[in-house]
Amino acid sequence: MASSSTLLFLLTFLSLGRGQRSNTDDGRSSCSRCDLQLSCNCSHAGFTRVPMVTGQALRLDLSFNSIAVVTDNDLPGHTQLKALNLHGNRLSTIYPSAFDSLWSLEELDLSENLLTALNHTWFRKLGALQQLNLLNNPYSHLGFPPVFQKLVRLRNLALGGPDLKELRRGDLSGVTQLEDLTVKANNLTRYDSGTLADIWPLGHVTLSLHGPFIKNVTLASAMLSDVSYPETPLTLEDLHLNANESVQPFRESARRRIRDISFRNLSASDESVVNLLVVMDGVPISRLYFEDITLTGEGSWEKASWTDHKGIDEFFIRNIVVLDVFKFTSFLQLKFLLNYPRRVSVINSMVYVMPCPSSQLLVNVQYLDVTDNLLTDLTLAESLCEKNETLKELRVLNISGNVLKSLSKLSRLVSKLTKLTHLDISRNGYTSMPSSCPWPSTLRYINISRAKLTTITPCLPKSLEVLDLSNNDLKGFTLPLPALRELHLSGNKFLKLPDGQLFPNLQTLAMQSNAVNMFNQSDLQSYGRLENLQVGQNKFFCSCDFVNFFQSQLKGGGDLTLTDGEDSYICDSPFSLQGEKVGQVHLTLIMCHRVLFVSVSCGCALFVGIVVSVLLWRFHVFWYLKMTLAWLKAKRSSQHRQRRRNDEGCEPLLSFDAFVSYSERDAGWVENFLVPELEEPCEADSGNPPSPQPLTLCLHKRDFLPGQWIVDNIMSAIERSRRTVFVLSENFVQSDWCRYELDFSHFWLFDAGGDAAILILLEPLSKDDVPKRFCKLRKLMSSTTYLEWPQEEERREEFWRSLRNALRGEDK
Ligand SMILES: *[C@@H]1O[C@H](CO)[C@@H](O)[C@H](O)[C@H]1NC(C)=O
Ligand SMILES: *[C@@H]1O[C@H](CO)[C@@H](O)[C@H](O)[C@H]1NC(C)=O
Ligand SMILES: *[C@@H]1O[C@H](CO)[C@@H](O)[C@H](O)[C@H]1NC(C)=O
Ligand SMILES: *[C@@H]1O[C@H](CO)[C@@H](O)[C@H](O)[C@H]1NC(C)=O
Ligand SMILES: *[C@@H]1O[C@H](CO)[C@@H](O)[C@H](O)[C@H]1NC(C)=O
């Protein structure tokens, strides 16, 4: 069993090793930047060859590398790949069968490469392809046989570039219907009429025809003619219209009743504008779209004022540059253009005022967007005709990104727009709100995001259904708005969700990037009808309550949808959870019941402590400990003294016959009986034996050196005395013996078998009265005979004699 698994491991290891080696032999590196959706982002990685990627990949982005060639072996077995992006490489060679295994491929981007010729064999197996981008490669023609023949599902096609010279009849055969066609043909010199004519339905067409419009009007006309249909929006790029001639191709579009036309990157003179208006006279164009426009003239277009443009419904301009802005005449003569549209947008075009008479021409405008211009409170007053009626049909007004400052002035100006429902005043300089404001009663939507508001007031109308106050400096919201359905408060400084009772109809609440660190069931319950919530990108404190609530109530289910996705809810604290997703955090029991846990463990510790202390006390462990310590200490100081004496080479000096140790309570007996009897024996009656020699006694009261450590004193007293007399009594045993047992247990005194110690029992005392722990004393009592102090007078003589003998025992 074990050996077979080892073998397996070895085999795996070997095969891995071999795989890697062949890898390096082949010179191909691999890319593993694939996400869970099997989308592999290998762009900007410096690859010079197609890297190895998992065979399961669904999308492979290889854009912006340095890949020069795709060989037959580079994409083997990628039968599931749906999208391949090779944009911005150095591709000059693609092997004929390179894409043969990509049966599922739906999107292929080969734009911005160095392909000088296209080969129909690349695409022969790509029956599923829907989008093909071949823009900006240096091929000059599409080639034969027709390259797109097999692409039966193709819906989006982009081709051409600065080098495209020819488009021949049949080049696009096989392409039958498209949603989007882009042809960059700024340098096209040959176009066979009808080349693009067979594609139908045709969704949207973008043509770049700089050169043809200037040099070859016939060619441009033929192309426009082939792609102009009433239902097909047409975008023309890179045109430079400077004369009558250059606008003539539009006659073809006009003839085919084109309805939606856009210009991008256009420069036009007055003459060409006038002629364009003439060419388009009576054509039911409904949408005119201009982006990145340079006007070289003075705006004198009145020569075309007789033309009919009643059909124009939407007029859109973005990024317009008027070269001679100061000579540019007023729009007043443009009544024939301005009376009709319902939607007008003039975005990012340095508009600083729209004179009242001009704005009064916009009689049909319902939607006016002047985003990103230079309107101030003053010029807006002029544009909205402070003292006059204007824009009576207006429903949506977008003044986002101007330099407005006064909300009270704005509200007064718009209050007479009696049909206004939407007002976008975001990205202006509003810093405060007056306490009340007049508004049109129809107003439902206000966007004041990206201003500098710090508080809100009842200035906000009660009729609001959508309110956007994102990216201000708000800290609280206390205004009831009963009709409100959407409230956007992201990017402010809220610490918690506002009270839901203010908004009984709220369905959407966005509060991303605030300072909300948690919220709970009751916060949300106050909202009666909330359906969509966005509170991500706050610094969440991942407490157990919050995490439990989030994981059980919010995550994937319930009536409430987290529209900003569960993944944007990240823990910021506690530190151990920082950076983890709230929805995926696992909290342990200990973390969740910390207080309980701490109290229980403290309780246990306390209990154990008490039990241990009781046990210690019961078994006198402290006493034994103290004893051990003292023993060690005394041992050391005794050794020290011994060494010193040895060094000095002299015998211990014996200056006393006996050291008497007694309890303070027994001092009376010692002083009145013992000392007189032994130190100064009285002259006895003649005939009696001669009086005994006096003995010298050491008494702590009398003979101890003051100022020395008591233990040292006792020790040296014992050392300097031949015998030690213990006067034992109940008192002595209970209170004084301690010290001896503690401090001198090491002493020769106790070990010498009791020769040196003499015990006097002042009162009857049996061994069993001595506490068990005084083992030395008990030992002493059992090994040494002791003298009992007799109560009867006549036996005392006997006692003294025995004591004297004992004291002199050595000399016997
Ligand atoms: C193609 O057109 C570009 C401008 O779009 C011009 O700079 C370039 O010289 C032209 N190339 C040829 C080969 O005519
Ligand atoms: C705009 O068109 C001009 C030719 O009229 C061209 O040279 C220029 O590159 C174009 N600009 C962009 C951004 O496409
Ligand atoms: C513009 O050219 C067309 C045809 O080439 C001609 O019919 C028309 O009169 C010209 N218009 C002007 C204003 O020159
Ligand atoms: C106003 O214009 C901005 C920028 O074009 C856009 O994001 C916003 O949705 C517009 N507001 C309205 C109410 O159309
Ligand atoms: C409010 O305006 C901002 C900036 O112009 C825009 O991004 C946002 O989408 C608008 N809000 C709503 C709710 O349309």
Side-chain angles (χ1 to χ4, degrees):
M1 189 68 184
S3 67
S4 76
S5 69
T6 317
L7 193 69
L8 194 71
F9 169 74
L10 215 65
L11 282 176
T12 324
F13 184 75
L14 284 177
S15 66
L16 267 179
R18 221 185 34 221
Q20 249 152 19
R21 200 162 50 240
S22 74
N23 218 0
T24 47
D25 283 353
D26 203 19
R28 284 178 67 189
S29 37
S30 60
C31 167
S32 54
R33 302 199 306 224
C34 302
D35 63 16
L36 291 175
Q37 280 76 44
L38 292 166
S39 176
C40 305
N41 180 358
C42 308
S43 71
H44 292 282
F47 291 118
T48 52
R49 304 231 6 222
V50 175
M52 315 245 287
V53 184
T54 168
Q56 271 102 52
L58 295 181
R59 308 184 70 87
L60 177 54
D61 185 350
L62 290 168
S63 58
F64 301 105
N65 284 293
S66 304
I67 300 167
V69 57
V70 183
T71 70
D72 288 349
N73 302 321
D74 281 351
L75 295 160
H78 276 289
T79 52
Q80 305 184 22
L81 198 64
K82 289 210 171 348
L84 175 61
N85 186 350
L86 283 159
H87 172 89
N89 278 278
R90 295 190 190 144
L91 276 183
S92 55
T93 310
I94 298 178
Y95 283 32
S97 310
F99 300 142
D100 274 7
S101 61
L102 309 180
W103 306 320
S104 311
L105 201 67
E106 292 172 1
E107 299 168 25
L108 177 60
D109 191 339
L110 297 171
S111 57
E112 305 284 349
N113 277 292
L114 302 173
L115 298 168
T116 49
L118 303 179
N119 188 341
H120 72 286
T121 58
W122 300 341
F123 308 124
R124 64 188 169 190
K125 297 280 172 66
L126 303 185
L129 200 69
Q130 295 174 14
Q131 299 184 18
L132 177 60
N133 189 345
L134 296 167
L135 284 179
N136 296 333
N137 277 284
Y139 51 84
S140 60
H141 57 276
L142 296 183
F144 193 81
V147 284
F148 310 125
Q149 197 83 55
K150 293 283 162 57
L151 303 178
V152 290
R153 298 253 176 92
L154 199 65
R155 294 296 173 267
N156 289 2
L157 176 61
L159 57 91
D163 292 83
L164 186 67
K165 292 284 177 329
E166 300 182 347
L167 279 177
R168 291 171 177 252
R169 183 104 219 196
D171 274 356
L172 279 100
S173 80
V175 182
T176 52
Q177 57 167 305
L178 287 177
E179 285 161 13
D180 204 290
L181 172 65
T182 301
V183 181
K184 285 210 183 281
N186 280 329
N187 290 333
L188 200 68
T189 52
R190 170 174 174 167
Y191 178 81
D192 289 354
S193 204
T195 303
L196 296 172
D198 297 332
I199 306 170
W200 177 258
L202 186 56
H204 183 255
V205 177
T206 304
L207 301 177
S208 304
L209 293 172
H210 180 76
F213 262 81
I214 292 177
K215 299 181 211 148
N216 194 343
V217 186
T218 322
L219 189 157
S221 298
M223 263 186 109
L224 285 190
S225 168
D226 283 350
V227 296
S228 294
Y229 302 98
E231 311 303 327
T232 302
L234 176 64
T235 299
L236 290 160
E237 293 184 336
D238 302 343
L239 299 192
H240 179 60
L241 305 178
N242 57 354
N244 186 5
E245 270 296 286
S246 60
V247 301
Q248 295 313 314
F250 290 109
R251 286 193 183 280
E252 290 304 317
S253 300
R255 202 167 51 80
R256 304 188 63 150
R257 315 296 281 179
I258 189 170
R259 299 231 305 260
D260 186 328
I261 187 160
S262 307
F263 294 91
R264 224 181 273 142
N265 188 22
L266 165 77
S267 85
S269 63
D270 277 351
E271 187 191 355
S272 58
V273 173
V274 169
N275 282 305
L276 186 62
L277 290 170
V278 170
V279 165
M280 292 290 174
D281 173 35
V283 178
I285 294 225
S286 67
R287 185 169 174 270
L288 254 179
Y289 182 106
F290 297 92
E291 185 162 2
D292 304 321
I293 310 299
T294 307
L295 289 183
T296 53
E298 298 174 1
S300 41
W301 305 335
E302 65 276 3
K303 277 186 231 151
S305 59
W306 54 271
T307 54
D308 164 15
H309 297 282
K310 291 194 181 68
I312 295 183
D313 186 57
E314 178 174 0
F315 195 72
F316 183 100
I317 296 176
R318 176 153 60 205
N319 307 343
I320 191 163
V321 176
V322 179
L323 286 188
D324 221 343
V325 70
F326 295 110
K327 286 198 194 139
F328 210 78
T329 49
S330 95
F331 286 105
L332 276 178
Q333 1 87 18
L334 301 184
K335 191 168 191 281
F336 69 101
L337 284 178
L338 299 180
N339 266 195
Y340 308 105
R342 284 184 301 153
R343 295 170 66 91
V344 171
S345 304
V346 183
I347 298 170
N348 193 26
S349 298
M350 311 242 255
V351 175
Y352 54 88
V353 67
M354 180 170 61
C356 174
S358 306
S359 92
Q360 280 175 325
L361 293 176
L362 297 165
V363 287
N364 273 309
V365 166
Q366 299 180 2
Y367 177 103
L368 179 61
D369 187 345
V370 282
T371 296
D372 292 322
N373 284 296
L374 303 169
L375 295 172
T376 63
D377 291 328
L378 203 68
T379 58
L380 185 70
E382 169 63 20
S383 305
L384 294 181
C385 302
E386 199 168 10
K387 306 211 171 61
N388 265 304
E389 298 269 298
T390 186
L391 301 169
K392 294 184 63 167
E393 294 298 315
L394 199 64
R395 273 126 172 117
V396 179
L397 177 59
N398 194 341
I399 340 175
S400 166
N402 281 279
V403 281
L404 308 174
K405 292 201 169 73
S406 164
L407 261 180
S408 64
K409 188 152 192 187
L410 175 85
S411 75
R412 248 186 305 113
L413 285 171
V414 301
S415 65
K416 59 187 193 334
L417 303 173
T418 52
K419 290 185 176 163
L420 194 71
T421 58
H422 282 61
L423 179 61
D424 189 337
I425 45 174
S426 57
R427 298 189 291 124
N428 275 288
Y430 298 116
T431 52
S432 66
M433 274 187 197
S435 55
S436 73
C437 310
W439 296 105
S441 61
T442 44
L443 199 58
R444 302 279 174 269
Y445 168 108
I446 288 191
N447 191 339
I448 328 183
S449 62
R450 293 189 189 277
K452 295 174 189 107
L453 297 172
T454 52
T455 50
I456 53 140
T457 70
C459 166
L460 293 172
K462 289 262 192 288
S463 58
L464 282 185
E465 291 176 10
V466 177
L467 174 59
D468 192 337
L469 286 167
S470 319
N471 300 298
N472 279 285
D473 285 330
L474 301 174
K475 296 194 180 67
F477 199 115
T478 49
L479 186 71
L481 292 174
L484 206 62
R485 286 184 293 107
E486 279 184 34
L487 179 57
H488 300 266
L489 294 172
S490 297
N492 280 286
K493 294 178 177 163
F494 283 83
L495 294 171
K496 58 186 178 63
L497 306 191
D499 181 6
Q501 271 152 11
L502 301 170
F503 324 108
N505 283 305
L506 199 69
Q507 292 165 5
T508 299
L509 175 63
M511 296 213 51
Q512 292 171 302
S513 308
N514 272 283
V516 177
N517 56 24
M518 65 169 75
F519 56 98
N520 58 30
Q521 184 77 51
S522 65
D523 286 336
L524 294 183
Q525 253 158 12
S526 63
Y527 295 86
R529 318 179 87 170
L530 200 60
E531 286 166 11
N532 305 309
L533 184 65
Q534 301 181 7
V535 202
Q537 286 146 30
N538 277 287
K539 297 191 182 275
F540 289 109
F541 172 61
C542 284
S543 69
C544 295
D545 286 347
F546 176 63
V547 169
N548 282 341
F549 164 67
F550 188 91
Q551 293 184 350
S552 63
Q553 307 277 313
L554 291 178
K555 201 172 143 182
D559 311 333
L560 209 57
T561 315
L562 294 177
T563 37
D564 52 347
E566 209 184 292
D567 288 353
S568 51
Y569 294 74
I570 309 280
C571 299
D572 185 60
S573 57
F575 187 67
S576 58
L577 298 177
Q578 201 170 44
E580 292 197 37
K581 293 176 184 162
V582 181
Q584 285 165 21
V585 156
H586 292 291
L587 290 172
T588 59
L589 221 58
I590 295 180
M591 290 165 94
C592 281
H593 300 283
R594 186 161 301 197
V595 173
L596 187 68
F597 182 75
V598 168
S599 3
V600 166
S601 28
C602 281
C604 286
L606 197 68
F607 178 74
V608 168
I610 288 173
V611 166
V612 166
S613 314
V614 165
L615 287 178
L616 291 181
W617 173 79
R618 180 72 187 76
F619 294 106
H620 305 284
V621 172
F622 297 121
W623 185 83
Y624 285 112
L625 275 178
K626 252 166 84 184
M627 189 166 120
T628 313
L629 274 179
W631 183 84
L632 287 173
K633 193 166 161 191
K635 190 102 181 164
R636 206 155 357 105
S637 66
S638 151
Q639 273 170 356
H640 184 69
R641 273 198 304 275
Q642 191 75 39
R643 210 174 312 125
R644 212 172 51 208
R645 271 200 303 274
N646 289 350
D647 290 350
E648 287 162 9
C650 55
E651 279 297 289
L653 197 64
L654 287 177
S655 17
F656 298 105
D657 287 310
F659 167 65
V660 186
S661 182
Y662 56 96
S663 161
E664 210 49 52
R665 302 239 203 117
D666 303 324
W669 182 82
V670 172
E671 280 160 25
N672 295 331
F673 291 89
L674 186 75
V675 174
E677 183 64 37
L678 295 185
E679 286 201 335
E680 39 207 72
C682 55
E683 290 302 316
D685 314 329
S686 54
N688 280 357
S691 64
Q693 291 224 315
L695 295 162
T696 51
L697 298 179
C698 174
L699 300 184
H700 66 87
K701 250 187 183 172
R702 193 179 65 191
D703 303 306
F704 276 8
L705 290 171
Q708 252 195 317
W709 188 39
I710 185 79
V711 177
D712 269 350
N713 250 327
I714 297 178
M715 201 102 80
S716 78
I718 294 178
E719 272 169 356
R720 287 192 296 145
S721 310
R722 216 170 322 130
R723 297 276 191 274
T724 300
V725 176
F726 293 106
V727 181
L728 297 184
S729 66
E730 193 77 35
N731 289 327
F732 185 80
V733 172
Q734 293 304 343
S735 62
D736 295 65
W737 179 258
C738 252
R739 197 189 304 141
Y740 293 94
E741 189 85 52
L742 269 184
D743 297 345
F744 313 115
S745 49
H746 72 286
F747 223 16
W748 52 268
L749 173 69
F750 297 103
D751 304 324
D755 233 18
I758 296 166
L759 305 182
I760 297 173
L761 259 57
L762 269 194
E763 48 200 24
L765 200 67
S766 98
K767 205 175 85 184
D768 298 331
D769 297 335
V770 178
K772 277 215 178 64
R773 62 186 201 271
F774 296 161
C775 52
K776 294 278 179 195
L777 180 59
R778 288 160 74 97
K779 186 177 157 202
L780 216 52
M781 280 177 83
S782 53
S783 67
T784 315
T785 45
Y786 37 83
L787 303 168
E788 281 185 69
W789 173 245
Q791 296 305 310
E792 309 87 25
E793 277 284 344
E794 52 274 22
R795 287 183 51 207
R796 286 195 181 152
E797 200 53 43
E798 167 81 19
F799 170 84
W800 291 125
R801 200 163 46 246
S802 311
L803 180 59
R804 260 194 215 97
N805 284 343
L807 285 173
R808 291 229 174 78
E810 211 180 46
D811 313 334
K812 261 201 291 198

